Amino acid sequence: MPKVTVDGQEIEVPAGATVLQACELAGKEIPRFCYHERLSIAGNCRMCLVEVKPGPPKPQASCALPAADGQEIRTDTPMVKTAREGVMEFLLINHPLDCPICDQGGECDLQDQSVAYGRGGSRYGRENKRAVTEKNMGPLIKTIMTRCIHCTRCVRFSEEIAGVDEIGALYRGEDMQITTYLERAATHELSANVIDLCPVGALTSRPYAFEARPWELKKTLSIDVSDAVGANIRLDSRGREVMRALPRINDDVNEEWLSDKGRYMVDGLTRRRLDKVWIRKSGKLAEASWDQAFKAIAAAKPGKNIAAIAGDLVDCETMFAAKALLGAMGSTLLEGRQTGMDYDVSNMAAVAFNSTFAGIETADAILIVGSHVRWEAALVNARLRKAVKHGAKVFVVGPEWETTYPATFLGEDVGVLGKLPKDVSDAFKGAERPAIILGGAALAKGALAPALAFADKFGLVNDGWNGFNVLHMAASRMGGLMLGYAQAGGIADIAAAKPKVLLSLGADEVDYSAFDGVLKVYIGHHGDKGAHAADIILPAASYAEKDGTYVNTEGRVQYAEKAVFAPGDAREDWTILRALADALGVSVGFDSFADLQGAMFAAVPALGEEGLADLGALPKGDAKAKADGVITYPIKDFYLTNPIARASAVMQQCSAELLHGDDLAEAAE
Amino acid sequence: MSVLGKIFTWWDGATIGTLLNSWRTGEQVGTDAQGNRYFRARKTPAGTNERRWVLYAGANDASRVPPEWHGWLHGHFVDVPESLLPPAKIWEVEYTPNATGTLGAYRPQGALERGGRRAGASGDYESWTPDS
Amino acid sequence: MANRHTAPDTPELRARWGSFVFTEANIAKADKFIASYPEGRQKSAVMPLLDLAQRQVGEETDTQGWLPMPVIEYVAAYLDMPVIRVLEVATFYFMYNLVPVGKFHVQVCGTTPCMLRGSDELIAACKGRGMEKGKVSADGLWTLTEVECMGNCATAPMVQINDGNYEDLTVERLDAVLDALAAGGTPEEGTQEPGRHTSEPSGGPTTLKEMVTENHDYRGEW
């Protein structure tokens, strides 16, 4: 623990800390461009210069200098001031002064720091500025490379975090240019994070180009629902429209990254919206009023023959409100696993990501069964890459996909779980923190029991470590399971119960052909498969348009806030269900959102506490359990996995250009 | 125009009083391409400028007076345009009255009246219909 | 410097160089380079391998050689590294030609010492012979490049042509060298000043003259 003095203030810093970190610990702000906490140190912008004694009598780049015992660091001397001014002047030699037309304006590090640490003017005014051609980086990243200050954060991000070497710095010196190889589009699932990383306006968001200024946006804390990771996001809205989604820092969940889908599907919130009530009359959907719809549902006289299926994007409150309604009617026909999975949910710990995302980084042997992690949870994939960098071995059961780290594929048949090759079992026997990650495709093949047996066999649970993980794909899944949205036989049980009325809470992946003759009431926000199959459509709110509780695949309870109002006649889901209860003549016991939440917390106390829910201990595995079958991943197209993304023009473009671009080119030839 | 119309309206052409006055005190000096008739007073009291006026053929809209007659009306020219001004050049376009307030008024590109479309604004959304 | 750019990635380029592989001899050399680094660090050999590839391209085209994109991709695959990382190296160093050059790549040093000793005249002379900066001359023999310091300041001005340095040049001496090269000869490399061997003082030593023939003790004279 070295002791250093920063501006006369003596502090102790952790071993291995840099001078910059020491200054931050002392509460001093150090300007920087290239340095980033989550990336390797480059030391090429020179903005973080400070004076350090002992050492050479010149300013030192604090980001790349280890803090050593007895160092005397000054950040407030004239030398440091002139050094910063000098560096800033150099950076601005070639930087265009186009802030008024730059999308980074208002949230630009260069802008802020030139105000705080720069000179009033430049001595290079008479020289021509360098101009650099724009580079193609795909449909998400817009480049104005003349603005680039060569910090190389984007290069380091794609190499280190994303694990896809796509972006590089060509040429040298003043001519250095950041580009992708042959200007191909950046294709990985985290590519748009370089936009946040770029300290200037060189890489900006293409779909958001010239849309809004940061200071005119209302910022709302929300949770990403595009996958089961539950990334913490901030929805920036103007008026009634969500303009963009940005990641928030949460080291336990998403660090400070966000998958491209979570970031860019928000434009789907303004397309294909359900904004009025529809009732099917003689085979054709016709516009109707709320009253007519409620009367039509009441006329079906469901009694206790009413069922509910929850979609992938709904919040816990909606599911609880539906559960309360069904409970009042005397029904427990609830299901959330839309594709018909029927794994055992008697123990919640057996269906959660117990290692936690931060914990999986420390695993040293990981077996992935039936999960295309890159597509099902791109942020978890970044964690796995970190684990591999720390020396973890990764094995995958399932069809091959392009990993961003060395991994061994063990075949496509889930049966391999019972008879692992020797090198795999040796790796797990020797591992201190072994882990298994079970994907949805594996659960569908009944791999849960064999996986639990695997956990027993290799001691996946030991003191302070639980290596048994299930990686879900739907944001609503864990919350749904906690609220009892599961039948022993899955959705087939619901169909077999032959309900009179089926409430579909934004369920768009269900095969509705099993519910012929049932009055299907779709309560959702997007006109997708569910709406086309429905008999009555009640327009509801999307995740951006209501407060809600979400539980991610770790069992982490998180709250999202309402950013904007739902369009047209659409209402928040719980109000619809509350009104429906009146129409059906039952009492659900809540009249306000606070009442509803109170009732929900009383019923499932774990939901009342933000953070990891205590899901109990893992059940004993049955050593004889077996599963077999060839794994097929459920996600066929990363960019189009939910109704919002399917409605989004940006996601459609990404799908067409990034995933099917080669097909298109071939078709053109 | 009916006689009653002549008696009770004033916005098309001259009223009866003006017609009578023009006939009594004025003499016609010419007409323009639109048929507007131009008059001047027969007698001009000493020390005053000559009175000149126009009787419109149609709506009483001052912008219907073409520039050459405008100059004559306002006393810029001593004589009538035909005898004073050079003949019109072939590249001169025909004079048109001010179209403001009429259907022929100029509309900038993008104006709704010209079939323009409103630019997208935040809060716009596209609603779903069963046919989509 | 600023006119440095990669050759456009055209179908013709792919057709010409898409099937590029090292010759047997070069594979042996390449593997020797790779072997000089620890296992798993084969990427460290990227610079010698790029040089090797450039030379092989040179042999095939009878020029100094250059690095077409498919060749860079081949080197990347050979070293199991991302192409962009190889491209970064290839574009960084001026020794790697990114566009085709002539049989003789005339690199005139224009840095201060050479400039003071007359490099401007050399460049003018080169241009007078039909060379153009960054372009291959009509007869396919010459490409002119102005480079920064090559470290031969003591024998300035100098020109590097392919692998040979020609120093102490005047316009006449340079003409002689270029004529000899054009005629297929191999002019002597190094200083072109008669009587000078390497970078020793021109016209004999000016200090420590007594030391030329024998060991002399200067201490008494201090």
Side-chain angles (χ1 to χ4, degrees):
Chain A
M1 297 282 277
K3 269 203 182 98
V4 298
T5 321
V6 180
D7 293 349
Q9 176 192 350
E10 196 173 331
I11 56 158
E12 209 168 321
V13 298
T18 62
V19 169
L20 189 148
Q21 285 163 334
C23 292
E24 289 205 320
L25 281 175
K28 303 287 172 193
E29 187 187 69
I30 305 290
R32 86 287 301 267
F33 294 109
C34 72
Y35 175 81
H36 193 272
E37 289 84 353
R38 295 175 212 280
L39 302 175
S40 65
I41 293 167
N44 52 8
C45 76
R46 315 311 287 180
M47 195 62 208
C48 62
L49 295 174
V50 296
E51 206 177 329
V52 179
K53 277 182 217 152
K58 58 171 191 171
Q60 308 251 26
S62 60
C63 70
L65 187 69
D69 209 23
Q71 263 174 348
E72 199 186 315
I73 303 160
R74 307 277 332 176
T75 68
D76 54 359
T77 57
M79 187 221 261
V80 174
K81 185 171 182 294
T82 36
R84 286 171 178 170
E85 284 175 358
V87 169
M88 183 56 80
E89 204 176 347
F90 280 151
L91 286 172
L92 291 177
I93 290 177
N94 278 321
H95 191 83
L97 297 178
D98 60 352
C99 302
I101 56 153
C102 175
D103 259 331
Q104 193 84 354
E107 49 188 3
C108 174
D109 287 1
L110 190 62
Q111 221 175 22
D112 295 348
Q113 292 181 29
S114 67
V115 169
Y117 303 104
R119 280 164 51 93
S122 171
R123 287 167 287 187
Y124 297 92
R126 256 177 281 167
E127 291 184 23
N128 290 336
K129 296 204 177 210
R130 172 204 57 174
V132 185
T133 50
E134 262 54 302
K135 306 285 183 277
N136 170 31
M137 289 202 189
L140 299 179
I141 307 169
K142 181 184 169 190
T143 62
I144 300 99
M145 298 316 284
T146 303
R147 297 181 188 144
C148 178
I149 59 166
H150 303 160
C151 71
T152 69
R153 275 187 190 179
C154 50
V155 179
R156 283 176 282 150
F157 174 83
S158 63
E159 184 183 345
E160 293 162 16
I161 309 287
V164 182
D165 286 271
E166 289 182 324
I167 305 179
L170 303 192
Y171 311 105
R172 66 193 287 177
E174 192 192 30
D175 297 316
M176 189 165 127
Q177 299 185 16
I178 303 288
T179 183
T180 49
Y181 178 60
L182 293 179
E183 296 202 25
R184 288 177 190 153
T187 53
H188 60 85
E189 295 74 27
L190 298 173
S191 65
N193 286 298
V194 297
I195 296 166
D196 293 344
L197 283 174
C198 186
V200 297
L203 305 180
T204 54
S205 171
R206 195 185 283 278
Y208 175 71
F210 309 129
E211 289 286 343
R213 283 298 193 187
W215 55 83
E216 58 185 8
L217 299 173
K218 187 184 80 170
K219 283 108 182 147
T220 314
L221 308 186
S222 185
I223 300 296
D224 176 35
V225 295
S226 67
D227 53 29
V229 174
N232 291 205
I233 55 171
R234 191 185 90 193
L235 292 176
D236 284 5
S237 54
R238 185 176 60 192
R240 299 192 66 153
E241 185 174 341
V242 177
M243 305 302 289
R244 61 173 177 178
L246 292 178
R248 276 187 284 147
I249 296 179
N250 186 338
D251 279 329
D252 292 329
V253 184
N254 57 323
E255 300 173 275
E256 58 180 276
W257 319 126
L258 182 57
S259 78
D260 288 358
K261 184 166 45 175
R263 188 186 293 260
Y264 283 118
M265 71 178 187
V266 289
D267 80 310
L269 291 172
T270 58
R271 301 185 70 230
R272 289 195 208 161
R273 285 310 298 263
L274 298 178
D275 62 346
K276 41 187 159 307
V277 178
W278 298 85
I279 297 180
R280 194 176 292 278
K281 281 179 186 144
S282 56
K284 205 166 164 7
L285 283 167
E287 283 181 40
S289 71
W290 284 99
D291 232 23
Q292 290 169 320
F294 287 142
K295 276 188 186 130
I297 298 167
K301 293 203 173 48
K304 63 182 178 43
N305 290 320
I306 182 168
I309 301 177
D312 288 349
L313 308 182
V314 293
D315 54 323
C316 290
E317 281 79 0
T318 303
M319 289 189 280
F320 181 77
K323 183 185 181 179
L325 174 64
L326 263 64
M329 303 287 288
S331 163
T332 57
L333 291 172
L334 303 162
E335 179 55 66
R337 297 166 295 181
Q338 299 183 57
T339 51
M341 288 193 280
D342 58 354
Y343 48 85
D344 178 27
V345 294
S346 52
N347 186 317
M348 283 300 291
V351 290
F353 202 96
N354 295 301
S355 303
T356 73
F357 298 149
I360 198 74
E361 280 177 23
T362 62
D364 49 7
I366 302 168
L367 178 65
I368 300 170
V369 187
S371 181
H372 187 324
V373 186
R374 244 182 107 168
W375 280 7
E376 292 176 14
L379 293 164
V380 175
N381 196 51
R383 301 276 193 172
L384 291 178
R385 179 171 160 76
K386 272 199 209 170
V388 172
K389 277 186 143 184
H390 297 151
K393 290 198 185 74
V394 174
F395 305 95
V396 189
V397 180
E400 291 201 17
W401 46 279
E402 202 183 323
T403 55
T404 56
Y405 37 80
T408 317
F409 283 86
L410 304 175
E412 300 188 1
D413 195 307
V414 73
V416 77
L417 215 50
K419 40 182 194 297
L420 289 171
K422 187 164 180 312
D423 56 329
V424 181
S425 48
D426 283 352
F428 275 90
K429 272 183 201 134
E432 272 176 39
R433 290 162 89 86
I436 185 170
I437 296 177
L438 219 51
L443 294 174
K445 293 278 177 255
L448 188 58
L452 284 167
F454 174 90
D456 278 351
K457 188 174 168 195
F458 292 105
L460 259 57
V461 183
N462 49 44
D463 48 2
W465 173 250
N466 187 338
F468 188 83
N469 302 306
V470 171
L471 187 57
H472 295 295
M473 281 165 278
S476 68
R477 181 73 69 251
M478 280 303 282
L481 295 181
M482 286 164 90
L483 288 166
Y485 272 73
Q487 302 291 318
I491 219 150
D493 277 11
I494 307 267
K498 295 212 183 308
K500 279 186 186 162
V501 171
L502 177 71
L503 297 181
S504 166
L505 308 172
D508 286 301
E509 325 293 335
V510 179
D511 177 13
Y512 283 102
S513 62
F515 295 97
D516 275 346
V518 180
L519 184 72
K520 295 179 279 287
V521 181
Y522 183 80
I523 305 176
H525 43 83
H526 272 76
D528 207 284
K529 295 168 200 163
H532 281 284
D535 297 311
I536 295 175
I537 298 174
L538 303 177
S542 72
Y543 74 106
E545 290 142 11
K546 61 190 170 192
D547 290 330
T549 307
Y550 297 91
V551 187
N552 80 352
T553 188
E554 298 171 295
R556 189 183 299 278
V557 179
Q558 304 187 105
Y559 302 120
E561 288 169 16
K562 172 176 176 165
V564 292
F565 286 93
D569 262 356
R571 297 285 180 271
E572 290 183 32
D573 305 47
W574 77 270
T575 59
I576 299 173
L577 292 160
R578 175 68 187 76
L580 188 54
D582 280 350
L584 292 170
V586 293
S587 162
V588 286
F590 52 83
D591 293 318
S592 68
F593 191 71
D595 284 354
L596 164 62
Q597 271 194 328
M600 184 175 81
F601 296 161
V604 186
L607 291 177
E609 214 170 308
E610 200 161 9
L612 277 180
D614 183 10
L615 302 172
L618 214 55
K620 271 275 170 230
D622 174 8
K624 281 189 238 108
K626 284 233 174 354
D628 56 0
V630 173
I631 286 171
T632 48
Y633 299 126
I635 296 184
K636 300 284 177 257
D637 190 329
F638 169 73
Y639 296 103
L640 302 175
T641 55
N642 64 52
I644 302 178
R646 283 191 286 264
S648 154
V650 178
M651 289 290 100
Q652 286 169 5
Q653 191 191 359
C654 281
S655 166
E657 287 184 18
L658 302 181
L659 294 180
H660 307 296
D662 295 340
D663 308 354
L664 289 178
E666 271 171 34
E669 284 170 12
Chain B
M1 186 166 289
S2 68
V3 175
L4 279 179
K6 206 76 211 154
I7 293 169
F8 291 107
T9 66
W10 51 265
W11 49 86
D12 269 352
T15 56
I16 289 172
T18 312
L19 282 172
L20 276 174
N21 192 49
S22 298
W23 172 73
R24 203 161 54 83
T25 66
E27 68 171 322
Q28 187 172 344
V29 293
T31 54
D32 64 17
Q34 298 194 45
N36 300 326
R37 291 176 293 154
Y38 295 87
F39 287 83
R40 73 164 172 228
R42 285 206 204 100
K43 277 182 261 169
T44 302
T48 59
N49 292 328
E50 186 180 65
R51 273 193 76 209
R52 295 172 175 181
W53 67 94
V54 58
L55 297 186
Y56 296 106
N60 291 343
D61 172 7
S63 82
R64 294 171 47 135
V65 177
E68 61 271 18
W69 280 105
H70 178 92
W72 178 81
L73 271 182
H74 288 256
H76 295 300
F77 315 144
V78 179
D79 211 345
V80 291
E82 286 92 340
S83 56
L84 187 78
L85 295 178
K89 302 280 185 297
I90 50 162
W91 38 260
E92 279 183 36
V93 294
E94 206 134 296
Y95 177 74
T96 50
N98 188 344
T100 301
T102 69
L103 283 177
Y106 171 74
R107 308 284 179 195
Q109 204 179 8
L112 296 179
E113 292 86 346
R114 255 178 85 174
R117 293 178 57 193
R118 180 176 73 89
S122 60
D124 285 359
Y125 68 96
E126 175 198 302
S127 53
W128 176 84
T129 55
D131 310 316
S132 63
Chain C
M1 212 158 97
N3 56 15
R4 209 167 145 77
H5 61 92
T6 52
D9 188 43
T10 58
E12 295 79 48
L13 189 80
R14 294 269 159 196
R16 172 66 183 87
W17 295 108
S19 56
F20 177 89
V21 284
F22 276 145
T23 59
E24 296 257 322
N26 278 347
I27 285 182
K29 274 191 204 165
D31 290 345
K32 206 174 149 216
F33 285 129
I34 292 170
S36 47
Y37 299 102
E39 206 162 312
R41 302 286 179 136
Q42 80 287 354
K43 292 175 190 176
S44 303
V46 63
M47 291 186 62
L49 257 67
L50 279 173
D51 182 56
L52 214 51
Q54 176 165 311
R55 282 170 196 279
Q56 188 177 322
V57 170
E59 281 164 28
E60 290 178 24
T61 56
D62 193 27
T63 61
Q64 199 207 7
W66 64 294
L67 290 171
M69 206 59 89
V71 174
I72 293 176
E73 283 168 14
Y74 173 76
V75 172
Y78 200 92
L79 293 171
D80 188 25
M81 60 193 283
V83 190
I84 188 81
R85 297 279 99 82
V86 182
L87 192 61
E88 281 180 338
V89 173
T91 53
F92 188 86
Y93 294 101
F94 295 117
M95 290 78 85
Y96 303 119
N97 299 321
L98 300 176
V99 289
V101 293
K103 185 171 170 66
F104 301 108
H105 188 191
V106 183
Q107 306 183 69
V108 186
C109 172
T111 309
T112 320
C114 284
M115 190 194 78
L116 292 172
R117 298 273 293 156
S119 66
D120 288 353
E121 284 84 47
L122 297 186
I123 291 173
C126 288
K127 286 186 175 164
R129 293 176 67 100
M131 301 183 201
E132 218 180 318
K133 274 188 190 173
K135 302 246 172 72
V136 184
S137 61
D139 54 7
L141 283 183
W142 312 106
T143 295
L144 175 66
T145 310
E146 183 181 338
V147 294
E148 301 304 329
C149 187
M150 292 276 209
N152 287 336
C153 310
T155 51
M158 68 82 67
V159 163
Q160 189 181 65
I161 302 175
N162 293 2
D163 292 336
N165 285 3
Y166 303 89
E167 300 147 26
D168 277 326
L169 292 171
T170 59
V171 172
E172 295 75 34
R173 289 173 191 167
L174 178 64
D175 274 336
V177 169
L178 295 180
D179 286 340
L181 285 171
T186 47
E188 198 191 337
E189 291 176 12
T191 177
Q192 302 295 313
E193 186 173 306
R196 206 173 177 190
H197 304 96
T198 60
S199 59
E200 81 275 18
S202 194
T206 55
T207 56
L208 307 178
K209 289 178 186 166
E210 288 84 351
M211 291 281 258
V212 172
T213 49
E214 56 173 355
N215 198 6
H216 179 79
D217 190 351
Y218 281 100
R219 276 174 293 184
E221 301 160 31
W222 290 350

